[in-house]
Structure formats: C-alpha cells, structure tokens
mmCIF file of all heavy atoms in Angstrom:
data_model
loop_
_atom_site.group_PDB
_atom_site.id
_atom_site.type_symbol
_atom_site.label_atom_id
_atom_site.label_comp_id
_atom_site.label_asym_id
_atom_site.label_seq_id
_atom_site.Cartn_x
_atom_site.Cartn_y
_atom_site.Cartn_z
ATOM 1 N N LEU C 1 80.887 59.265 -62.417
ATOM 2 C CA LEU C 1 81.569 57.985 -62.613
ATOM 3 C C LEU C 1 82.969 58.263 -63.144
ATOM 4 O O LEU C 1 83.169 58.525 -64.331
ATOM 5 C CB LEU C 1 80.784 57.103 -63.576
ATOM 6 C CG LEU C 1 81.379 55.714 -63.849
ATOM 7 C CD1 LEU C 1 81.564 54.926 -62.561
ATOM 8 C CD2 LEU C 1 80.491 54.942 -64.819
ATOM 9 N N GLU C 2 83.969 58.185 -62.260
ATOM 10 C CA GLU C 2 85.322 58.609 -62.599
ATOM 11 C C GLU C 2 86.222 57.392 -62.809
ATOM 12 O O GLU C 2 86.943 56.958 -61.915
ATOM 13 C CB GLU C 2 85.883 59.524 -61.513
ATOM 14 C CG GLU C 2 87.165 60.200 -61.928
ATOM 15 C CD GLU C 2 87.403 61.511 -61.205
ATOM 16 O OE1 GLU C 2 86.717 61.779 -60.203
ATOM 17 O OE2 GLU C 2 88.283 62.261 -61.637
ATOM 18 N N GLY C 3 86.168 56.885 -64.015
ATOM 19 C CA GLY C 3 86.970 55.727 -64.383
ATOM 20 C C GLY C 3 86.170 54.792 -65.267
ATOM 21 O O GLY C 3 84.972 54.586 -65.045
ATOM 22 N N PRO C 4 86.799 54.209 -66.286
ATOM 23 C CA PRO C 4 86.073 53.360 -67.235
ATOM 24 C C PRO C 4 85.765 51.969 -66.696
ATOM 25 O O PRO C 4 86.478 51.438 -65.845
ATOM 26 C CB PRO C 4 87.036 53.275 -68.426
ATOM 27 C CG PRO C 4 88.393 53.415 -67.812
ATOM 28 C CD PRO C 4 88.217 54.370 -66.666
ATOM 29 N N LEU C 5 84.690 51.418 -67.190
ATOM 30 C CA LEU C 5 84.348 50.011 -66.963
ATOM 31 C C LEU C 5 84.559 49.318 -68.304
ATOM 32 O O LEU C 5 83.747 49.455 -69.223
ATOM 33 C CB LEU C 5 82.902 49.885 -66.479
ATOM 34 C CG LEU C 5 82.552 50.647 -65.200
ATOM 35 C CD1 LEU C 5 81.079 50.481 -64.848
ATOM 36 C CD2 LEU C 5 83.432 50.214 -64.038
ATOM 37 N N THR C 6 85.657 48.578 -68.411
ATOM 38 C CA THR C 6 86.054 48.067 -69.723
ATOM 39 C C THR C 6 87.028 46.908 -69.573
ATOM 40 O O THR C 6 87.657 46.738 -68.524
ATOM 41 C CB THR C 6 86.711 49.193 -70.552
ATOM 42 O OG1 THR C 6 87.083 48.704 -71.834
ATOM 43 C CG2 THR C 6 87.953 49.733 -69.840
ATOM 44 N N GLU C 7 87.173 46.153 -70.644
ATOM 45 C CA GLU C 7 88.205 45.126 -70.724
ATOM 46 C C GLU C 7 89.328 45.556 -71.662
ATOM 47 O O GLU C 7 90.227 44.766 -71.976
ATOM 48 C CB GLU C 7 87.586 43.811 -71.206
ATOM 49 C CG GLU C 7 86.579 43.222 -70.211
ATOM 50 C CD GLU C 7 85.945 41.944 -70.719
ATOM 51 O OE1 GLU C 7 86.044 41.685 -71.945
ATOM 52 O OE2 GLU C 7 85.370 41.201 -69.912
ATOM 53 N N SER C 8 89.276 46.815 -72.083
ATOM 54 C CA SER C 8 90.294 47.342 -72.984
ATOM 55 C C SER C 8 91.673 47.310 -72.323
ATOM 56 O O SER C 8 91.805 47.454 -71.108
ATOM 57 C CB SER C 8 89.952 48.785 -73.370
ATOM 58 O OG SER C 8 91.026 49.396 -74.062
ATOM 59 N N GLU C 9 92.697 47.131 -73.150
ATOM 60 C CA GLU C 9 94.087 47.162 -72.682
ATOM 61 C C GLU C 9 94.801 48.432 -73.146
ATOM 62 O O GLU C 9 96.013 48.558 -72.997
ATOM 63 C CB GLU C 9 94.841 45.927 -73.204
ATOM 64 C CG GLU C 9 94.286 44.602 -72.710
ATOM 65 C CD GLU C 9 94.384 44.457 -71.196
ATOM 66 O OE1 GLU C 9 95.327 45.023 -70.602
ATOM 67 O OE2 GLU C 9 93.499 43.797 -70.600
ATOM 68 N N ASP C 10 94.042 49.378 -73.681
ATOM 69 C CA ASP C 10 94.620 50.601 -74.236
ATOM 70 C C ASP C 10 94.880 51.628 -73.127
ATOM 71 O O ASP C 10 94.313 52.721 -73.104
ATOM 72 C CB ASP C 10 93.666 51.173 -75.294
ATOM 73 C CG ASP C 10 94.258 52.377 -76.024
ATOM 74 O OD1 ASP C 10 95.500 52.519 -76.014
ATOM 75 O OD2 ASP C 10 93.469 53.172 -76.581
ATOM 76 N N ILE C 11 95.757 51.287 -72.201
ATOM 77 C CA ILE C 11 96.040 52.165 -71.073
ATOM 78 C C ILE C 11 96.781 53.414 -71.543
ATOM 79 O O ILE C 11 97.682 53.353 -72.388
ATOM 80 C CB ILE C 11 96.852 51.418 -69.988
ATOM 81 C CG1 ILE C 11 96.994 52.289 -68.734
ATOM 82 C CG2 ILE C 11 98.206 50.974 -70.530
ATOM 83 C CD1 ILE C 11 97.589 51.537 -67.557
ATOM 84 N N GLN C 12 96.383 54.560 -70.995
ATOM 85 C CA GLN C 12 97.012 55.826 -71.344
ATOM 86 C C GLN C 12 98.178 56.115 -70.404
ATOM 87 O O GLN C 12 98.216 55.635 -69.266
ATOM 88 C CB GLN C 12 95.980 56.954 -71.269
ATOM 89 C CG GLN C 12 94.748 56.723 -72.127
ATOM 90 C CD GLN C 12 95.066 56.634 -73.604
ATOM 91 O OE1 GLN C 12 95.488 57.620 -74.210
ATOM 92 N NE2 GLN C 12 94.864 55.462 -74.190
ATOM 93 N N GLU C 13 99.131 56.901 -70.884
ATOM 94 C CA GLU C 13 100.280 57.265 -70.060
ATOM 95 C C GLU C 13 99.871 58.384 -69.109
ATOM 96 O O GLU C 13 99.820 59.561 -69.481
ATOM 97 C CB GLU C 13 101.442 57.697 -70.949
ATOM 98 C CG GLU C 13 102.029 56.566 -71.784
ATOM 99 C CD GLU C 13 103.259 57.004 -72.555
ATOM 100 O OE1 GLU C 13 103.707 58.154 -72.354
ATOM 101 O OE2 GLU C 13 103.762 56.205 -73.357
ATOM 102 N N LYS C 14 99.588 58.013 -67.885
ATOM 103 C CA LYS C 14 99.129 58.962 -66.878
ATOM 104 C C LYS C 14 99.712 58.552 -65.528
ATOM 105 O O LYS C 14 100.167 57.416 -65.355
ATOM 106 C CB LYS C 14 97.603 58.975 -66.790
ATOM 107 C CG LYS C 14 96.891 59.285 -68.085
ATOM 108 C CD LYS C 14 95.394 59.214 -67.921
ATOM 109 C CE LYS C 14 94.891 60.251 -66.943
ATOM 110 N NZ LYS C 14 93.418 60.304 -66.888
ATOM 111 N N THR C 15 99.641 59.485 -64.571
ATOM 112 C CA THR C 15 100.094 59.152 -63.225
ATOM 113 C C THR C 15 99.243 58.041 -62.639
ATOM 114 O O THR C 15 99.748 57.085 -62.038
ATOM 115 C CB THR C 15 100.036 60.393 -62.319
ATOM 116 O OG1 THR C 15 100.790 61.445 -62.920
ATOM 117 C CG2 THR C 15 100.594 60.081 -60.946
ATOM 118 N N PHE C 16 97.931 58.165 -62.821
ATOM 119 C CA PHE C 16 97.000 57.127 -62.380
ATOM 120 C C PHE C 16 96.028 56.849 -63.519
ATOM 121 O O PHE C 16 95.442 57.772 -64.082
ATOM 122 C CB PHE C 16 96.226 57.557 -61.134
ATOM 123 C CG PHE C 16 97.080 57.762 -59.923
ATOM 124 C CD1 PHE C 16 97.506 59.032 -59.571
ATOM 125 C CD2 PHE C 16 97.471 56.685 -59.144
ATOM 126 C CE1 PHE C 16 98.298 59.230 -58.455
ATOM 127 C CE2 PHE C 16 98.269 56.871 -58.022
ATOM 128 C CZ PHE C 16 98.689 58.145 -57.670
ATOM 129 N N ALA C 17 95.853 55.588 -63.842
ATOM 130 C CA ALA C 17 94.892 55.172 -64.872
ATOM 131 C C ALA C 17 94.001 54.095 -64.257
ATOM 132 O O ALA C 17 94.460 52.996 -63.951
ATOM 133 C CB ALA C 17 95.616 54.653 -66.106
ATOM 134 N N PHE C 18 92.734 54.443 -64.072
ATOM 135 C CA PHE C 18 91.809 53.529 -63.404
ATOM 136 C C PHE C 18 91.041 52.686 -64.416
ATOM 137 O O PHE C 18 90.786 53.103 -65.547
ATOM 138 C CB PHE C 18 90.825 54.320 -62.536
ATOM 139 C CG PHE C 18 91.477 55.131 -61.463
ATOM 140 C CD1 PHE C 18 91.215 56.491 -61.337
ATOM 141 C CD2 PHE C 18 92.371 54.544 -60.583
ATOM 142 C CE1 PHE C 18 91.816 57.239 -60.341
ATOM 143 C CE2 PHE C 18 92.978 55.276 -59.578
ATOM 144 C CZ PHE C 18 92.704 56.638 -59.459
ATOM 145 N N LYS C 19 90.653 51.504 -63.950
ATOM 146 C CA LYS C 19 89.811 50.627 -64.772
ATOM 147 C C LYS C 19 89.068 49.667 -63.865
ATOM 148 O O LYS C 19 89.610 49.180 -62.873
ATOM 149 C CB LYS C 19 90.660 49.831 -65.770
ATOM 150 C CG LYS C 19 89.830 48.911 -66.664
ATOM 151 C CD LYS C 19 90.677 48.223 -67.728
ATOM 152 C CE LYS C 19 91.437 47.049 -67.201
ATOM 153 N NZ LYS C 19 92.033 46.218 -68.288
ATOM 154 N N GLY C 20 87.812 49.417 -64.205
ATOM 155 C CA GLY C 20 87.014 48.445 -63.473
ATOM 156 C C GLY C 20 86.378 47.457 -64.431
ATOM 157 O O GLY C 20 86.159 47.756 -65.611
ATOM 158 N N ASP C 21 86.060 46.271 -63.927
ATOM 159 C CA ASP C 21 85.389 45.279 -64.753
ATOM 160 C C ASP C 21 83.979 45.765 -65.101
ATOM 161 O O ASP C 21 83.306 46.404 -64.274
ATOM 162 C CB ASP C 21 85.302 43.948 -63.991
ATOM 163 C CG ASP C 21 84.807 42.823 -64.877
ATOM 164 O OD1 ASP C 21 85.641 42.206 -65.554
ATOM 165 O OD2 ASP C 21 83.578 42.586 -64.889
ATOM 166 N N PRO C 22 83.509 45.494 -66.320
ATOM 167 C CA PRO C 22 82.158 45.933 -66.707
ATOM 168 C C PRO C 22 81.064 45.479 -65.740
ATOM 169 O O PRO C 22 80.039 46.158 -65.598
ATOM 170 C CB PRO C 22 81.971 45.317 -68.093
ATOM 171 C CG PRO C 22 83.357 45.223 -68.644
ATOM 172 C CD PRO C 22 84.227 44.899 -67.469
ATOM 173 N N SER C 23 81.271 44.348 -65.054
ATOM 174 C CA SER C 23 80.250 43.862 -64.115
ATOM 175 C C SER C 23 80.075 44.790 -62.924
ATOM 176 O O SER C 23 79.045 44.746 -62.244
ATOM 177 C CB SER C 23 80.606 42.459 -63.616
ATOM 178 O OG SER C 23 81.822 42.476 -62.878
ATOM 179 N N TYR C 24 81.062 45.673 -62.685
ATOM 180 C CA TYR C 24 80.970 46.579 -61.541
ATOM 181 C C TYR C 24 79.826 47.586 -61.677
ATOM 182 O O TYR C 24 79.471 48.261 -60.709
ATOM 183 C CB TYR C 24 82.286 47.328 -61.348
ATOM 184 C CG TYR C 24 83.475 46.474 -60.939
ATOM 185 C CD1 TYR C 24 84.755 47.014 -60.863
ATOM 186 C CD2 TYR C 24 83.325 45.118 -60.650
ATOM 187 C CE1 TYR C 24 85.850 46.239 -60.502
ATOM 188 C CE2 TYR C 24 84.405 44.332 -60.292
ATOM 189 C CZ TYR C 24 85.670 44.893 -60.225
ATOM 190 O OH TYR C 24 86.750 44.117 -59.868
ATOM 191 N N VAL C 25 79.267 47.702 -62.875
ATOM 192 C CA VAL C 25 78.126 48.607 -63.048
ATOM 193 C C VAL C 25 76.971 48.220 -62.133
ATOM 194 O O VAL C 25 76.119 49.051 -61.776
ATOM 195 C CB VAL C 25 77.660 48.635 -64.525
ATOM 196 C CG1 VAL C 25 76.980 47.320 -64.905
ATOM 197 C CG2 VAL C 25 76.713 49.803 -64.769
ATOM 198 N N GLN C 26 76.949 46.955 -61.691
ATOM 199 C CA GLN C 26 75.895 46.506 -60.789
ATOM 200 C C GLN C 26 75.933 47.232 -59.442
ATOM 201 O O GLN C 26 74.921 47.301 -58.742
ATOM 202 C CB GLN C 26 76.008 44.996 -60.558
ATOM 203 C CG GLN C 26 75.790 44.154 -61.805
ATOM 204 C CD GLN C 26 76.027 42.686 -61.529
ATOM 205 O OE1 GLN C 26 75.185 42.011 -60.928
ATOM 206 N NE2 GLN C 26 77.170 42.173 -61.960
ATOM 207 N N VAL C 27 77.089 47.766 -59.077
ATOM 208 C CA VAL C 27 77.175 48.568 -57.852
ATOM 209 C C VAL C 27 76.216 49.754 -57.954
ATOM 210 O O VAL C 27 75.520 50.103 -56.987
ATOM 211 C CB VAL C 27 78.613 49.054 -57.615
ATOM 212 C CG1 VAL C 27 78.675 50.040 -56.444
ATOM 213 C CG2 VAL C 27 79.543 47.874 -57.368
ATOM 214 N N LEU C 28 76.169 50.354 -59.131
ATOM 215 C CA LEU C 28 75.295 51.509 -59.333
ATOM 216 C C LEU C 28 73.833 51.108 -59.454
ATOM 217 O O LEU C 28 72.952 51.746 -58.870
ATOM 218 C CB LEU C 28 75.732 52.275 -60.587
ATOM 219 C CG LEU C 28 77.183 52.784 -60.604
ATOM 220 C CD1 LEU C 28 77.459 53.539 -61.905
ATOM 221 C CD2 LEU C 28 77.466 53.660 -59.404
ATOM 222 N N THR C 29 73.566 50.050 -60.205
ATOM 223 C CA THR C 29 72.167 49.638 -60.370
ATOM 224 C C THR C 29 71.590 49.142 -59.047
ATOM 225 O O THR C 29 70.446 49.479 -58.695
ATOM 226 C CB THR C 29 72.041 48.545 -61.443
ATOM 227 O OG1 THR C 29 72.903 47.448 -61.119
ATOM 228 C CG2 THR C 29 72.423 49.082 -62.814
ATOM 229 N N GLU C 30 72.370 48.357 -58.301
ATOM 230 C CA GLU C 30 71.893 47.881 -57.001
ATOM 231 C C GLU C 30 71.754 49.030 -56.002
ATOM 232 O O GLU C 30 70.974 48.953 -55.057
ATOM 233 C CB GLU C 30 72.854 46.829 -56.438
ATOM 234 C CG GLU C 30 72.885 45.528 -57.215
ATOM 235 C CD GLU C 30 71.600 44.740 -57.073
ATOM 236 O OE1 GLU C 30 70.970 44.813 -56.003
ATOM 237 O OE2 GLU C 30 71.212 44.070 -58.047
ATOM 238 N N GLY C 31 72.500 50.106 -56.246
ATOM 239 C CA GLY C 31 72.437 51.263 -55.357
ATOM 240 C C GLY C 31 71.384 52.277 -55.739
ATOM 241 O O GLY C 31 71.287 53.335 -55.130
ATOM 242 N N SER C 32 70.590 51.973 -56.776
ATOM 243 C CA SER C 32 69.496 52.851 -57.215
ATOM 244 C C SER C 32 70.003 54.185 -57.767
ATOM 245 O O SER C 32 69.456 55.248 -57.487
ATOM 246 C CB SER C 32 68.497 53.099 -56.071
ATOM 247 O OG SER C 32 67.309 53.678 -56.556
ATOM 248 N N VAL C 33 71.050 54.107 -58.585
ATOM 249 C CA VAL C 33 71.572 55.278 -59.292
ATOM 250 C C VAL C 33 70.953 55.309 -60.687
ATOM 251 O O VAL C 33 70.900 54.285 -61.372
ATOM 252 C CB VAL C 33 73.108 55.220 -59.392
ATOM 253 C CG1 VAL C 33 73.639 56.338 -60.290
ATOM 254 C CG2 VAL C 33 73.726 55.312 -57.998
ATOM 255 N N GLU C 34 70.500 56.491 -61.110
ATOM 256 C CA GLU C 34 69.830 56.598 -62.413
ATOM 257 C C GLU C 34 70.634 57.341 -63.473
ATOM 258 O O GLU C 34 70.328 57.244 -64.663
ATOM 259 C CB GLU C 34 68.475 57.303 -62.261
ATOM 260 C CG GLU C 34 67.393 56.474 -61.622
ATOM 261 C CD GLU C 34 67.437 56.514 -60.098
ATOM 262 O OE1 GLU C 34 67.941 57.520 -59.548
ATOM 263 O OE2 GLU C 34 66.985 55.542 -59.468
ATOM 264 N N ALA C 35 71.641 58.122 -63.068
ATOM 265 C CA ALA C 35 72.387 58.904 -64.062
ATOM 266 C C ALA C 35 73.833 59.068 -63.609
ATOM 267 O O ALA C 35 74.118 59.165 -62.410
ATOM 268 C CB ALA C 35 71.740 60.269 -64.275
ATOM 269 N N ALA C 36 74.748 59.111 -64.600
ATOM 270 C CA ALA C 36 76.175 59.234 -64.293
ATOM 271 C C ALA C 36 76.847 60.200 -65.256
ATOM 272 O O ALA C 36 76.719 60.069 -66.480
ATOM 273 C CB ALA C 36 76.857 57.867 -64.363
ATOM 274 N N ASN C 37 77.563 61.175 -64.686
ATOM 275 C CA ASN C 37 78.384 62.078 -65.490
ATOM 276 C C ASN C 37 79.689 61.381 -65.872
ATOM 277 O O ASN C 37 80.324 60.725 -65.044
ATOM 278 C CB ASN C 37 78.698 63.351 -64.696
ATOM 279 C CG ASN C 37 79.735 64.204 -65.401
ATOM 280 O OD1 ASN C 37 79.479 64.747 -66.473
ATOM 281 N ND2 ASN C 37 80.922 64.305 -64.810
ATOM 282 N N LEU C 38 80.079 61.514 -67.146
ATOM 283 C CA LEU C 38 81.325 60.909 -67.623
ATOM 284 C C LEU C 38 82.358 61.957 -68.032
ATOM 285 O O LEU C 38 83.452 61.593 -68.490
ATOM 286 C CB LEU C 38 81.053 59.977 -68.802
ATOM 287 C CG LEU C 38 80.128 58.783 -68.560
ATOM 288 C CD1 LEU C 38 80.036 57.921 -69.813
ATOM 289 C CD2 LEU C 38 80.589 57.950 -67.372
ATOM 290 N N ALA C 39 82.028 63.232 -67.882
ATOM 291 C CA ALA C 39 82.955 64.292 -68.278
ATOM 292 C C ALA C 39 83.945 64.542 -67.149
ATOM 293 O O ALA C 39 83.744 65.398 -66.296
ATOM 294 C CB ALA C 39 82.194 65.567 -68.621
ATOM 295 N N ASN C 40 85.019 63.759 -67.135
ATOM 296 C CA ASN C 40 86.042 63.916 -66.108
ATOM 297 C C ASN C 40 87.387 63.437 -66.647
ATOM 298 O O ASN C 40 87.469 62.916 -67.759
ATOM 299 C CB ASN C 40 85.645 63.172 -64.827
ATOM 300 C CG ASN C 40 85.366 61.694 -65.070
ATOM 301 O OD1 ASN C 40 86.252 60.938 -65.471
ATOM 302 N ND2 ASN C 40 84.110 61.281 -64.855
ATOM 303 N N ASN C 41 88.427 63.599 -65.846
ATOM 304 C CA ASN C 41 89.774 63.319 -66.328
ATOM 305 C C ASN C 41 90.205 61.860 -66.166
ATOM 306 O O ASN C 41 91.390 61.543 -66.299
ATOM 307 C CB ASN C 41 90.795 64.236 -65.633
ATOM 308 C CG ASN C 41 90.770 64.079 -64.122
ATOM 309 O OD1 ASN C 41 89.711 63.903 -63.530
ATOM 310 N ND2 ASN C 41 91.929 64.146 -63.488
ATOM 311 N N HIS C 42 89.243 60.960 -65.893
ATOM 312 C CA HIS C 42 89.592 59.537 -65.827
ATOM 313 C C HIS C 42 88.691 58.659 -66.698
ATOM 314 O O HIS C 42 88.950 57.461 -66.816
ATOM 315 C CB HIS C 42 89.544 59.044 -64.381
ATOM 316 C CG HIS C 42 90.703 59.506 -63.555
ATOM 317 N ND1 HIS C 42 91.983 59.046 -63.741
ATOM 318 C CD2 HIS C 42 90.773 60.426 -62.555
ATOM 319 C CE1 HIS C 42 92.801 59.639 -62.875
ATOM 320 N NE2 HIS C 42 92.091 60.490 -62.152
ATOM 321 N N SER C 43 87.676 59.233 -67.305
ATOM 322 C CA SER C 43 86.756 58.416 -68.105
ATOM 323 C C SER C 43 87.431 57.826 -69.335
ATOM 324 O O SER C 43 86.975 56.824 -69.886
ATOM 325 C CB SER C 43 85.534 59.239 -68.518
ATOM 326 O OG SER C 43 85.918 60.355 -69.295
ATOM 327 N N GLN C 44 88.544 58.431 -69.765
ATOM 328 C CA GLN C 44 89.251 57.924 -70.944
ATOM 329 C C GLN C 44 90.650 57.415 -70.579
ATOM 330 O O GLN C 44 91.570 57.460 -71.395
ATOM 331 C CB GLN C 44 89.329 59.019 -72.009
ATOM 332 C CG GLN C 44 87.940 59.479 -72.454
ATOM 333 C CD GLN C 44 87.980 60.440 -73.623
ATOM 334 O OE1 GLN C 44 88.661 60.198 -74.613
ATOM 335 N NE2 GLN C 44 87.241 61.525 -73.515
ATOM 336 N N ASP C 45 90.780 56.898 -69.357
ATOM 337 C CA ASP C 45 92.077 56.338 -68.935
ATOM 338 C C ASP C 45 92.510 55.161 -69.800
ATOM 339 O O ASP C 45 93.707 54.837 -69.864
ATOM 340 C CB ASP C 45 91.997 55.890 -67.469
ATOM 341 C CG ASP C 45 92.088 57.060 -66.497
ATOM 342 O OD1 ASP C 45 92.236 58.209 -66.967
ATOM 343 O OD2 ASP C 45 92.011 56.831 -65.272
ATOM 344 N N TYR C 46 91.551 54.500 -70.431
ATOM 345 C CA TYR C 46 91.871 53.401 -71.343
ATOM 346 C C TYR C 46 91.403 53.731 -72.761
ATOM 347 O O TYR C 46 90.892 52.882 -73.494
ATOM 348 C CB TYR C 46 91.268 52.093 -70.837
ATOM 349 C CG TYR C 46 92.166 51.448 -69.787
ATOM 350 C CD1 TYR C 46 92.257 51.991 -68.511
ATOM 351 C CD2 TYR C 46 92.958 50.341 -70.078
ATOM 352 C CE1 TYR C 46 93.087 51.444 -67.543
ATOM 353 C CE2 TYR C 46 93.797 49.782 -69.123
ATOM 354 C CZ TYR C 46 93.863 50.339 -67.866
ATOM 355 O OH TYR C 46 94.706 49.794 -66.919
ATOM 356 N N GLY C 47 91.632 54.988 -73.121
ATOM 357 C CA GLY C 47 91.384 55.433 -74.481
ATOM 358 C C GLY C 47 89.913 55.569 -74.839
ATOM 359 O O GLY C 47 89.014 55.411 -74.005
#
C-alpha cells in the first residue's frame, strides 16, 4: 500500500506526495486483500 489514506493536511515537501480518502480502503476489503505492507517511500507523504 504505497500512499496514505488520511484527511491530514501535513503534506511533505516531495516531488510526488500521494493521498487517498480513508474510504478508499474499501477497494482492498472488497478485493479480498488481507495484509498490506506500509514500509515504502510514500506511506508518510502526509507526515
């Protein structure tokens, strides 16, 4: 999972900073995903 699901406004100074609405987690649950790695260079794009 490369990018935060948050309503935070704490955007970091980066070339690309991704963010999705928390409701987007349903994409994973509806897709039958059971586990997500968060150790990547976009998980903290919003601090």
